[in-house]
Amino acid sequence: DLAISGRTAALRVDVAGPQGITVNKPATYVVSVVNESDVAAADVQVRIALPGFVAVSGSEASEGEAMMQADPQGTARLLWSIPQLGGRAREQLQLQLVTREADAFELGVDWTCRPAAARASIIVKQPQLDLSLAGPGDMIFGEEKVFTLSVNNPGTGDAEQVVVQLTTGD
């Protein structure tokens, strides 16, 4: 019998920093990614959405690379890419944010990793029957001769319910 099972990483993302920020004064925020499982996570991406009036004046990642990019709607976001996050591992990204306006904003964070996959090898078997009849090529009417009928299965699977019928010709 065949059974397939798979496990996936369990990621937790935490953001720590001041609740308030002063216009034109940098504030430090720390984004942590924690893998709470024993299974490694591959291609981890943490996306931090920022309004247009908030800039990243500096960033430092303990692992991977962080860069600014625009999302499909044209909004700026910081993308932090971590190639591999081991089981029970933790990585951090330190951000320096500066706002140019006195408006409150939300720091939106989402994350993904490569989906887990499971595979199983399935063996395919195929029966093959070879029949051969060996005996003399000529006979005289009324004469008895011995013929040998051979049934062989050179295939990889069992041939089931095989029936061989032998009849004489006219």
Side-chain angles (χ1 to χ4, degrees):
D1 289 344
L2 175 70
I4 299 173
S5 67
R7 292 180 50 191
T8 186
L11 300 181
R12 184 184 84 227
V13 175
D14 301 315
V15 180
Q19 188 174 5
I21 184 171
T22 303
V23 173
N24 292 323
K25 186 175 178 184
T28 301
Y29 291 86
V30 177
V31 180
S32 300
V33 179
V34 180
N35 185 351
E36 296 181 331
S37 74
D38 295 325
V39 179
D43 297 331
V44 177
Q45 292 191 341
V46 179
R47 290 170 294 281
I48 303 167
L50 299 168
F53 59 88
V54 176
V56 176
S57 64
S59 67
E60 185 177 332
S62 61
E63 180 67 33
E65 182 180 357
M67 68 180 87
M68 292 299 296
Q69 68 172 198
D71 69 10
Q73 291 78 29
T75 307
R77 68 179 178 182
L78 183 80
L79 175 64
W80 179 23
S81 298
I82 305 169
Q84 182 87 2
L85 184 61
R88 305 286 172 203
R90 172 189 203 96
E91 298 297 343
Q92 291 186 333
L93 172 66
Q94 239 184 27
L95 294 175
Q96 296 287 322
L97 300 182
V98 178
T99 181
R100 293 184 303 273
E101 295 180 12
D103 289 336
F105 64 92
E106 290 184 355
L107 197 62
V109 180
D110 66 75
W111 57 93
T112 59
C113 65
R114 183 185 315 147
R119 291 186 211 182
S121 295
I122 308 296
I123 298 170
V124 177
K125 298 179 180 181
Q126 180 179 10
Q128 294 176 331
L129 291 181
D130 282 343
L131 297 174
S132 63
L133 183 62
D138 292 327
M139 287 184 65
I140 299 174
F141 182 76
E143 182 180 26
E144 289 187 17
K145 296 274 182 159
V146 176
F147 287 82
T148 303
L149 175 64
S150 297
V151 180
N152 189 12
N153 180 6
T156 56
D158 295 338
E160 298 176 7
Q161 300 179 4
V162 175
V163 176
V164 178
Q165 291 182 341
L166 185 62
T167 58
T168 60
D170 293 338

